[in-house]
């Protein structure tokens, strides 16, 4: 499951170029052409990184960046600012507003990809890790294998994606709607109860005996990897 990147850019040709190259690197890419639309989208779903143009219709990139840094859920969101403004004073302004990096147009695509990877590595190393582990559970992305206490566990494709997503965000609670968007995708319309079915299957596969259940049900909120599970395994 690649990191999710939101590209906010109103130049269609550049948007196409960015999408093509980012998707070729394995990222999940979403594009928006207006700053105000991006602001709304980011309130609905927070990606792993934003590539943000300075000059946008509806709402400028600088103002959008300022708003993102003012909200707790996007305060740490990695942001790369794209702009034709190359003066030092403008770069300083962009960074002071909260951008993590700043690239002047025209730019080198390999350089942009390297900066995206570097920011993701620093912000969310688990998104790029080959092996994810939590307590006695280990998931190997290259081999697509899952094991618990060294015992292989055969998961179906959906249960694998669910576990991978939870391992990327240990301890964080996700609603059924958030899990549907992140694991199944925004464009797939299925009932939220489907999440409960697959969570149940994942639990059964992970806990064939009397092992501690690593998945926590939060009444009225959703599901999470139980942080007490990891602590008990370390004790």
């Amino acid at each position: 499951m690649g990191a999710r990147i939101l590209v906010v850019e109103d130049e269609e040709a550049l948007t196409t170029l960015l999408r093509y190259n980012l998707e070729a690197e394995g990222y999940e890419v979403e594009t928006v052409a207006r700053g105000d639309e991006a602001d709304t989208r980011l309130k609905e779903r927070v990606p792993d990184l934003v590539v943000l143009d300075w000059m946008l219709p509806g709402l400028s990139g600088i103002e959008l960046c300022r708003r993102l840094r003012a909200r707790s859920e996007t305060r740490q969101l990695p942001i790369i600012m794209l702009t034709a403004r190359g003066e030092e004073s403008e770069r300083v302004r962009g960074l002071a507003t909260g951008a993590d990096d700043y690239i002047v147009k025209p730019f080198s695509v390999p350089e942009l990809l390297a900066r995206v990877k570097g920011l993701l590595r620093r912000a969310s190393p688990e998104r790029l890790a080959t092996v994810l582990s939590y307590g006695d559970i280990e998931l190997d992305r290259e081999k697509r294998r899952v094991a618990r206490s060294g015992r292989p566990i055969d998961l179906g494709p959906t249960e694998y994606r669910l576990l991978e997503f939870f391992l990327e965000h240990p301890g964080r609670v996700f609603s059924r709607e958030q899990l549907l968007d992140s694991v199944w995708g925004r464009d797939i319309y299925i009932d939220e109860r489907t999440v409960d079915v697959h969570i149940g299957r994942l639990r059964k596969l992970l806990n064939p005996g009397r092992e501690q259940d690593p998945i926590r049900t939060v009444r009225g909120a959703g599901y999470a990897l139980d942080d007490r599970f990891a602590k008990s395994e370390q004790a």
Side-chain angles (χ1 to χ4, degrees):
M1 186 185 298
R4 295 183 298 278
I5 297 178
L6 176 66
V7 175
V8 189
E9 170 61 61
D10 63 333
E11 294 181 36
E12 186 175 350
L14 181 54
T15 299
T16 301
L17 176 70
L18 290 170
R19 177 189 285 277
Y20 174 82
N21 284 280
L22 289 168
E23 288 183 341
E25 291 293 308
Y27 301 119
E28 178 186 335
V29 181
E30 188 173 0
T31 62
V32 181
R34 294 177 57 89
D36 49 356
E37 292 178 3
D39 191 28
T40 300
R41 188 72 55 85
L42 285 158
K43 291 176 181 176
E44 298 171 348
R45 186 189 191 195
V46 179
D48 296 295
L49 181 143
V50 174
V51 177
L52 179 62
D53 188 25
W54 181 303
M55 299 296 291
L56 292 165
L59 184 72
S60 72
I62 281 286
E63 178 57 28
L64 177 55
C65 184
R66 186 177 291 113
R67 292 186 183 187
L68 293 175
R69 291 298 180 241
R71 296 200 290 261
S72 59
E73 61 269 24
T74 52
R75 190 166 294 141
Q76 303 299 322
L77 175 64
I79 299 173
I80 296 179
M81 187 80 75
L82 296 181
T83 180
R85 299 169 181 259
E87 298 84 359
E88 181 180 1
S89 61
E90 298 298 343
R91 291 200 300 273
V92 170
R93 182 184 173 197
L95 294 171
T97 304
D100 296 282
D101 208 342
Y102 190 104
I103 298 181
V104 179
K105 300 176 184 178
F107 55 84
S108 159
V109 171
E111 179 185 1
L112 172 67
L113 294 176
R115 295 195 185 194
V116 165
K117 189 172 184 178
L119 266 181
L120 286 172
R121 184 182 292 112
R122 293 195 296 273
S124 304
E126 68 280 353
R127 297 293 303 191
L128 303 177
T130 300
V131 177
L132 300 174
S133 60
Y134 194 72
D136 62 350
I137 295 174
E138 186 174 280
L139 182 149
D140 188 320
R141 283 169 157 157
E142 288 188 351
K143 298 178 181 178
R144 291 191 68 82
R145 291 178 179 171
V146 175
R148 181 165 188 184
S149 296
R151 183 188 72 250
I153 297 175
D154 187 19
L155 298 182
T158 301
E159 287 72 37
Y160 179 92
R161 292 197 303 271
L162 264 175
L163 178 61
E164 182 182 24
F165 183 73
F166 279 132
L167 289 171
E168 289 174 345
H169 308 88
R172 181 175 168 185
V173 180
F174 291 95
S175 68
R176 292 170 179 81
E177 182 180 2
Q178 288 173 321
L179 289 171
L180 282 174
D181 283 348
S182 300
V183 177
W184 280 263
R186 302 174 62 91
D187 299 325
I188 298 177
Y189 298 97
I190 55 178
D191 194 287
E192 288 187 0
R193 287 173 293 184
T194 300
V195 175
D196 300 332
V197 172
H198 286 281
I199 289 288
R201 290 178 184 172
L202 178 58
R203 276 178 160 149
K204 185 175 181 180
L205 291 166
L206 290 176
N207 314 313
R210 293 176 175 244
E211 292 100 333
Q212 181 181 353
D213 187 354
I215 300 174
R216 179 166 62 103
T217 299
V218 183
R219 187 177 298 275
Y223 299 99
L225 274 186
D226 196 337
D227 53 3
R228 294 173 299 179
F229 168 75
K231 292 175 183 176
S232 68
E233 291 298 325
Q234 293 169 359

